[in-house]
Amino acid sequence: MGSTPPGLVGRARERDAFGRALEQLAEGVGGVTVLASPPGLGKTALVGWAIEQAREAGVRVIEARADPLTADTPFAVASQLLPSLSWESDAPAGVAPGAPGTASGALFEVVERARETIEAMALEPVLMSVDDLHWVDSASRAVLAAAAELATTLPLLLVVTTRLAEAADQVDNLDRAFGRYTTRLDLAPLDQGEAAELAAGRLDATPGPRLGRLIDGVAANPLLVIELLGALDADDELIWSGHVVETDRVAMPPTLQATVIRRLRRLGDDVVDAVRALSVAGPAGDMSTIALMLDRTPDQITRFLETVHGVGMLEVDADRYVLRHDLLREAVYFDMPEPTRASMHRRLADILDAAGREPALVAAHLALGASPGDEHAVAWLAAAADDVQQAAPTSALALVDKALELTVDDPTGQRALQRARLDLLIQLGRLDEATTLATVLARVLADELPPADLAALYGRAAGLLILQRRAEDGLALLDHGLEVIGDPAAGARLLAQRAGAKMTVADHRGAAADAREAIARTRACGDDVGASIALAVAGRIGSFSHDYRRGLEPGLEAVLTAEQEPTGEAHLHLPCFY
């Protein structure tokens, strides 16, 4: 068969658009090109053609490919684009995990480093290509947003492909933010003439009438045309006569999944096992890892996969084989029974753990392979969430939610995960959900938590209510917390927070009384955070009465008290109260 790239037949409009974008890039004008379609219509092949054109024109090209197994691994895609850049945050270790602002601050810091690197790189024309936007991790999406912004002023062409139905919001966000600079290309299915042309290019011959009718049956999708021809060829059902190719088959082959598996089984059971392991491993699927999964040697695995590469189902990506298309990978993967897939993911997680791979990658396989009640998996998922929470709170939340699904008969573990979930919801600004969860936890855990922890939880729940202009509800919750807790030291900070809450409803007399008592109690128990809050409230009350000395003195003391508090948490409260 010939080597005509799949998916390019009939794509004149899209190639013209890429041609114009590359011409503008050569003149110093960048932009964003989004290529969207259902799977199998040739997005990756078309971008591959554009990349070849760019390289021939002397344009620097950097590429990345997203994968569903790394969708919760921070900077998985960005690190492919900028492999020399450090993706670790320099956020100070003294800041308490989950403190408001720490996640966004850490992410901002790393994204700014990436922005500076891309800006320096784009002094000359650069094409940045990202395949499968719908699987890009949240931290890398922040880097891509920065790149898209730079593309409006620099010779940088950002090209992304996506399955439209799975990333419609992300594409719409690009359109809204950079609409003037964004070219949106929605690939249409091939018509019957274009499908016949594609088949002729693959065969180096003209399809006969019967073969033509089969091709018409899958004409909309270039990948299915190619796989149809591959299946007929593997089954010796193509009849060659000069420059015409015909077949005796009159019925369509079964589904793509069945066709792919039938082709693989003709190559032997060992080959099927190797390709199945490859479909499970995803980005972790180097020869050594696949060998460990199957108790084989790397040389054996290489030999098996070379056979599949020879029939066109695999391609080489860096130092490993990958299935030529996501649909092929999904066909192989979902042909396996769910328990088989889960067992392979679980085994792979142990292999990656032993090899010291990224916690989020290990967690991704544990999430797919663990069963409810798997305490080791729950611990790993929780640790991975903690590891990524600053750079990628969205990913951390997904890991915590999976850990909760797996937690069985462990109320203490569930409560701890729910509290971690609360931190992440707050960091992500999902205040409605956070308020509901915090309020429920505060009431449910009243008999389980130490007084100081329970007070902190009541304070968070009430603070969220006040942020949402539900001060009366917040005050009611603080009252309930002070009644339930009872312990004077543990309730001291709640009292300070109640003083601040009363200020929001113009109860200045009540706020002053609570502030005076809170100052005395927080100082007595050494709570600098609570004392700083209470002093700030007292300062505000003085200012409102036009006694500015009376307002300035406690306000200054609030700042000085916050300065000596080692975690930095007190400073987070000052803007709210003074």
Side-chain angles (χ1 to χ4, degrees), residues 2 69 113 311 390 392 408 437 495 532 547:
L69 288 171
R113 286 206 302 265
V311 299
Q390 288 200 3
V408 176
L437 179 58
L495 190 62
S532 180
D547 185 348

Side-chain angles (χ1 to χ4, degrees), residues 26 199 466 491:
I466 292 166

Side-chain angles (χ1 to χ4, degrees), residues 368-430:
L368 292 167
S371 301
D374 188 332
E375 295 180 0
H376 174 72
V378 170
W380 243 109
L381 290 164
D386 186 64
D387 185 65
V388 305
Q389 70 160 343
Q390 288 200 3
T394 301
S395 299
L397 182 61
L399 294 170
V400 168
D401 285 344
K402 184 61 183 180
L404 279 166
E405 288 179 22
L406 297 175
T407 304
V408 176
D409 297 329
D410 182 9
T412 302
Q414 287 178 326
R415 303 303 190 219
L417 288 168
Q418 291 287 12
R419 292 169 69 189
R421 191 171 193 275
L422 174 61
D423 289 339
L424 292 163
L425 289 171
I426 293 171
Q427 290 177 13
L428 290 165
R430 292 163 58 174

Side-chain angles (χ1 to χ4, degrees), residues 172-207:
D172 289 343
N173 287 341
L174 284 173
D175 279 345
R176 282 193 298 270
F178 310 107
R180 177 182 169 191
Y181 302 92
T182 300
T183 300
R184 168 88 168 266
L185 300 174
D186 292 348
L187 283 190
L190 299 182
D191 61 32
Q192 291 182 347
E194 291 165 344
E197 183 182 347
L198 172 61
R202 298 287 295 183
L203 297 166
D204 283 334
T206 302

Side-chain angles (χ1 to χ4, degrees), residues 11 17 19 44 70 99 128 214 259 274 310 329 397 470 514 544 546 571:
R11 302 303 187 196
T44 301
T70 58
M128 177 184 290
L214 292 181
T259 300
R329 177 177 169 187
L397 182 61
R470 296 170 59 190
D514 278 355
F544 286 175
H546 302 293
H571 276 294

Side-chain angles (χ1 to χ4, degrees), residues 99-166:
T102 54
S104 58
L107 179 60
F108 175 81
E109 169 203 327
V110 179
V111 170
E112 280 303 295
R113 286 206 302 265
R115 179 194 295 272
E116 291 168 2
T117 302
I118 296 169
E119 196 167 8
M121 185 186 300
L123 294 175
E124 299 292 335
V126 175
L127 187 153
M128 177 184 290
S129 169
V130 177
D131 206 7
D132 291 328
L133 177 66
H134 46 281
W135 287 325
V136 172
D137 61 279
S138 61
S140 290
R141 288 203 298 270
V143 173
L144 293 182
E149 184 178 352
L150 289 172
T152 65
T153 58
L154 295 174
L156 170 65
L157 178 60
L158 174 62
V159 178
V160 296
T161 71
T162 183
R163 297 181 184 182
L164 184 55
E166 297 177 40

